[in-house]
Amino acid sequence: MNFEQLFPDEREKEGDRFRQCQLVMLRMFKIFDYLCRKHQIRYFLNGGTLLGAIRHKGMIPWDDDLDVGMTRENYEKFVQYAVPELPEDIFFQSDATDPYFPSGHIIEAKLRDKYSHYIRREEDKATWLKWQDGLQVDIAVFDRAYLPHNLFIYLQNRLLIFFLQQKGNLSRARVQKWIARNVPLPLVYASSFINGRKMVKQGEYYLTQQELSGLETATFEGLEVPIPKGWHSFLKRRYGNYMQPPPLSKQKGHHSIAIPDPFTPCNHPQTLLWENRKKAKDLA
């Protein structure tokens, strides 16, 4: 499958460096969407990307990552059928594919562009991370959890991560599946993204069964893409008056401690050099 023809890499077509980075992530998302449709894998826009689709009909202008979500069953299908078809320049990152990626990380899997990375402050380099750090599409995996309250979800996730950390996210998911089948309590869907006291206090990082009972479509960067049926109540719970953009002082990406660089890879085995790609295209 020639993804270069289907979804050409256009990062050099923009003069603005930040928009170049967004084009990198959009290409990864288009390939993700294509493979999900091909293999009948249900996903939905999540977090700031969902907000961008509703408020901007595309990426939030200052956003520096892209967020999608899917249930555990669909994630397992994605790993089995879609991941083997990813092009060479996209790295599928999880605790199973990257030895430096922590089990129980707040985002279970990511798509990483191999040509790029996030430039971090010198004082952060030694303590920040060793895993592949290319521009990313975050894949939040939603397991069935109980009670529409982040404290319960947080405690469940932390206990499972503590006891099963060495066995990886799939073992943690098996325990959550067993709980979902055998404990008759009200259900919500949550990811391990709830990992701190602030998120517990905010009480907003989950989807109810009703909100995720079906999918509808929204326009996102010229594409018609799936979003949760209950997107309005989810966004209102998470962002309040979500149609009102934040003040200029807060219009920053999630990685405000880093600068996304679309042409320089990180120090990791799963990387490629943009200069080599250009040379190969010139020779062709």
Side-chain angles (χ1 to χ4, degrees):
M1 191 178 303
N2 192 333
F3 282 111
E4 185 59 35
Q5 288 186 351
L6 285 173
F7 307 106
D9 193 317
E10 299 181 331
R11 71 185 75 190
E12 288 188 310
K13 289 191 174 181
E14 286 281 345
D16 178 75
R17 179 57 62 93
F18 196 81
R19 184 57 181 170
Q20 288 173 340
C21 294
Q22 289 191 333
L23 290 179
V24 173
M25 292 179 280
L26 283 171
R27 176 177 179 269
M28 287 194 289
F29 170 72
K30 290 176 182 179
I31 292 172
F32 169 86
D33 174 77
Y34 175 89
L35 291 173
C36 285
R37 293 177 190 272
K38 176 182 177 181
H39 296 291
Q40 298 181 321
I41 299 167
R42 291 164 63 88
Y43 80 92
F44 48 89
L45 299 189
N46 184 43
T49 303
L50 173 60
L51 174 60
I54 299 301
R55 194 170 67 198
H56 303 272
K57 298 191 182 300
M59 292 191 73
I60 296 174
W62 54 90
D63 205 359
D64 55 9
D65 69 358
L66 205 151
D67 304 297
V68 297
M70 56 178 63
T71 61
R72 176 66 56 184
E73 294 76 13
N74 284 281
Y75 174 72
E76 291 172 351
K77 285 179 63 179
F78 182 81
V79 172
Q80 181 178 359
Y81 297 109
V83 168
E85 297 185 15
L86 288 170
E88 181 189 9
D89 59 333
I90 296 178
F91 174 53
F92 173 73
Q93 184 179 52
S94 70
D95 62 0
T97 65
D98 190 337
Y100 299 107
F101 193 71
S103 176
H105 186 54
I106 56 177
I107 295 296
E108 192 159 330
K110 299 170 183 277
L111 299 184
R112 295 282 197 175
D113 173 65
K114 293 184 180 181
Y115 293 113
S116 59
H117 82 300
Y118 294 91
I119 303 173
R120 303 191 183 274
R121 296 176 303 186
E122 196 65 35
E123 57 267 31
D124 295 326
K125 289 181 180 179
T127 58
W128 180 250
L129 49 78
K130 295 181 180 180
W131 63 77
Q132 218 283 2
D133 196 29
L135 296 175
Q136 63 191 20
V137 173
D138 284 344
I139 304 175
V141 185
F142 284 77
D143 290 300
R144 284 157 54 125
Y146 294 101
L147 305 177
H149 195 292
N150 280 13
L151 177 61
F152 187 93
I153 299 165
Y154 170 76
L155 292 175
Q156 174 184 269
N157 282 337
R158 300 314 298 175
L159 286 171
L160 291 173
I161 289 169
F162 176 79
F163 286 112
L164 300 174
Q165 186 167 11
Q166 299 306 313
K167 298 181 180 180
N169 285 307
L170 290 180
S171 296
R172 178 168 53 83
R174 292 189 188 102
V175 174
Q176 289 178 303
K177 284 181 180 180
W178 184 91
I179 295 172
R181 288 194 302 267
N182 293 281
V183 182
L185 291 173
L187 284 170
V188 297
Y189 286 85
S191 73
S192 55
F193 188 69
I194 303 169
N195 77 325
R197 294 180 181 178
K198 182 179 179 181
M199 292 181 180
V200 171
K201 185 177 180 180
Q202 287 173 332
E204 57 200 27
Y205 292 94
Y206 63 86
L207 284 160
T208 67
Q209 275 188 301
Q210 185 176 4
E211 289 167 345
L212 205 53
S213 62
L215 299 176
E216 55 186 69
T217 60
T219 301
F220 180 77
E221 299 287 343
L223 303 171
E224 292 299 313
V225 297
I227 62 173
K229 179 181 177 181
W231 58 267
H232 170 70
S233 55
F234 171 67
L235 289 178
K236 186 175 180 180
R237 180 171 64 250
R238 184 162 177 178
Y239 298 106
N241 182 13
Y242 58 84
M243 293 303 291
Q244 177 65 43
L248 289 175
S249 61
K250 293 186 177 181
Q251 292 182 8
K252 300 177 181 178
H254 299 299
H255 304 89
S256 55
I257 64 172
I259 303 171
D261 182 343
F263 298 110
T264 308
C266 62
N267 184 22
H268 189 277
Q270 290 288 343
T271 55
L272 295 171
L273 294 176
W274 186 255
E275 292 81 2
N276 291 344
R277 180 184 185 276
K278 292 187 68 175
K279 290 177 183 178
K281 289 189 70 175
D282 291 340
L283 291 174

